[in-house]
Amino acid sequence: MLVILWDPDCLLHETVELLGSKLIPALESPARLDAILKALHITEHGFRVVQPSAIDNEARISRVLKSTSDTHNYNYLQHLQTVYEEWLSAGLIEKDGNVLPECFYLPTSTGKPMRPPKDVFARAGYFAFDMSSGIMSNSYRAIVASANLAHEGTDMLTGFGTKGGTDVDTVFALCRPPGHHCDGRRAGGYCYINNAALAVSTWRASNPKARVGILDIDFHHGNGTQEIFYSDSQVLYVSIHGADEFPYYTGAEDEKGTGDGEGMNINLPLKVGSPFEEYMLKLEYGLDRVHEFTPEFLVVSLGFDTFHADPLGHFQIHTEDYETIATRTRQKLKDIPSLILLEGGYVIEHLGANVLSFLKGWKSV
Ligand code: OKP
Ligand code: ZN
């Protein structure tokens, strides 16, 4: 059975970003989630669309802090929680304003380690790597709600396949903000907490030695997820993404993991403008690698910015192709409890149909 998880608090985060040297309302907007919910509610699809169990905000925060403690920097998480109020009381922003970084960490030859600057204004740049990750009044609430979906979704899958265990084999968590660009100590690319990494930690809490596969099929390279698991021998990260696109500095084929994790990072960059047939060749290859690894838990970082009309993605992929992508993924990775996490996808008018197409394929297997 497939369950769809969402949280109304994920709608509260609404920021601005610097794009093409213009400050604009962020493309990663509440309207994305609204469009998906609308499509899910008007269609007879037979999925369970549910909200996570009721939990008060403080308890939810400490749960998320606990399940991010081995992958995220504590001071970074504190910063996410407090910086908006700090900027507000320092008079740096108005109530409806956004914390946006200005000066980023600069590697130098001095040998000095990376240390947070004293200035609260400058600190925003220490904990971020781009200008698409603003923080407004409700951001922290939404960031925690989004991360909590990854946590709850993972919990719902625990025990699948065991005697008397759950019959939920797939959870699709409608996370926003997304997560795959966050490396555990820097926000970027609309991401603040790495939801995929959190899910792995949650899974490992009850299955400490488990092999986990992460399939990242957002248009962009998941630099954060790669970074977090780069030396991990039990987590296989496979990503198909636009070559030489955002986040620009990562995603090359020769990034294969290090130490015990050597060979456990597989980047499959694909030329901008590639047709669906070429995309599928990469996908089949990636799915075979994940299958060979025999993961006990699968995380899919799912972005719909591979769509042909996406403002941030550039592959020739159409609505019906998502059905094929999901069908092949499910066929090759059948019976593995799977957590699908929403990442990008910015064409609001087609997002609902694209999600439904993907779900149709997933369900058909
Ligand atoms: C987030 B996700 C391109 C600027 C891109 C941020 C893109 C974030 C994508 N010139 N700005 O992976 O969908
Ligand atoms: Zn993306």
Side-chain angles (χ1 to χ4, degrees):
M1 184 168 46
L2 187 150
V3 172
I4 296 166
L5 257 187
W6 73 287
D7 190 315
D9 282 357
C10 290
L11 293 163
L12 298 174
H13 165 78
E14 189 163 12
T15 58
V16 294
E17 67 171 314
L18 193 76
L19 186 66
S21 82
K22 281 200 181 71
L23 200 60
I24 58 161
L27 299 184
E28 200 294 285
S29 69
R32 299 177 58 239
L33 181 52
D34 279 331
I36 295 172
L37 291 169
K38 195 168 157 220
L40 289 171
H41 283 122
I42 58 175
T43 313
E44 274 302 315
H45 46 63
F47 304 121
R48 271 173 50 200
V49 183
V50 298
Q51 293 181 28
S53 49
I55 179 170
D56 74 69
N57 198 40
E58 289 310 306
R60 189 169 66 178
I61 289 172
S62 42
R63 170 200 276 181
V64 165
L65 288 179
K66 188 162 171 258
S67 39
T68 48
S69 59
D70 54 342
T71 54
H72 289 63
N73 176 284
Y74 180 78
N75 294 329
Y76 166 65
L77 296 170
Q78 285 299 108
H79 164 82
L80 291 182
Q81 183 166 19
T82 60
V83 69
Y84 167 82
E85 292 294 336
E86 287 175 274
W87 275 40
L88 192 62
S89 41
L92 294 167
I93 41 169
E94 308 274 302
K95 264 204 169 328
D96 62 353
N98 277 242
V99 172
L100 263 194
E102 179 197 59
C103 184
F104 298 96
Y105 173 71
L106 179 67
T108 67
S109 306
T110 61
K112 289 186 180 170
M114 180 168 161
R115 281 215 188 87
K118 295 198 178 73
D119 188 282
V120 62
F121 179 68
R123 213 210 296 134
Y126 176 77
F127 286 124
F129 69 84
D130 76 353
M131 297 184 76
S132 59
S133 314
I135 298 174
M136 44 74 78
S137 57
N138 285 322
S139 291
Y140 190 67
R141 199 179 171 96
I143 291 163
V144 168
S146 181
N148 182 56
L149 292 181
H151 178 85
E152 283 243 348
T154 306
D155 262 0
M156 290 174 82
L157 292 163
T158 303
F160 174 78
T162 61
K163 204 162 161 274
T166 175
D167 62 344
V168 177
D169 58 24
T170 305
V171 174
F172 182 18
L174 301 180
C175 295
R176 89 163 280 276
H180 71 154
H181 295 302
C182 171
D183 63 5
R185 55 159 212 235
R186 276 173 300 202
Y190 312 135
C191 302
Y192 306 83
I193 284 179
N194 192 303
N195 300 319
L198 184 153
V200 173
S201 298
T202 302
W203 186 265
R204 283 174 159 177
S206 40
N207 310 273
K209 295 210 163 71
R211 287 182 306 282
V212 180
I214 303 178
L215 176 69
D216 189 329
I217 49 174
D218 182 274
F219 175 81
H220 303 96
H221 181 240
N223 61 292
T225 313
Q226 163 171 304
E227 177 69 21
I228 290 170
F229 296 112
Y230 208 58
S231 58
D232 197 314
S233 63
Q234 298 303 98
V235 176
L236 176 67
Y237 177 71
V238 175
S239 173
I240 305 167
H241 48 268
D244 306 312
E245 288 282 301
F246 182 90
Y248 307 115
Y249 301 100
T250 62
E253 255 163 20
D254 64 1
E255 295 157 16
K256 296 187 165 153
T258 190
D260 291 345
E262 177 126 35
M264 301 299 292
N265 195 87
I266 302 181
N267 283 330
L268 304 171
L270 183 61
K271 254 190 26 219
V272 162
S274 290
F276 183 55
E277 295 68 43
E278 278 169 41
Y279 183 88
M280 281 309 290
L281 295 177
K282 299 270 180 200
L283 180 66
E284 298 286 357
Y285 177 85
L287 291 173
D288 287 341
R289 299 291 78 76
V290 179
H291 175 76
E292 269 170 17
F293 178 58
T294 63
E296 292 138 82
F297 176 49
L298 175 70
V299 177
V300 180
S301 273
L302 174 59
F304 291 93
D305 42 8
T306 49
F307 189 58
H308 67 95
D310 199 279
L312 297 180
H314 316 281
F315 292 152
Q316 293 178 49
I317 292 183
H318 294 78
T319 298
E320 62 275 16
D321 299 330
Y322 290 107
E323 186 181 340
T324 310
I325 290 170
T327 303
R328 291 302 293 151
T329 302
R330 192 66 177 145
Q331 280 171 344
K332 284 199 168 167
L333 303 175
K334 185 120 187 77
D335 295 330
I336 306 171
S338 301
L339 178 71
I340 303 171
L341 300 172
L342 183 66
E343 301 284 355
Y346 307 100
V347 188
I348 310 290
E349 307 76 55
H350 294 274
L351 195 50
N354 290 343
V355 166
L356 288 177
S357 172
F358 186 93
L359 291 173
K360 187 175 169 208
W362 193 275
K363 192 177 69 166
S364 72
V365 179

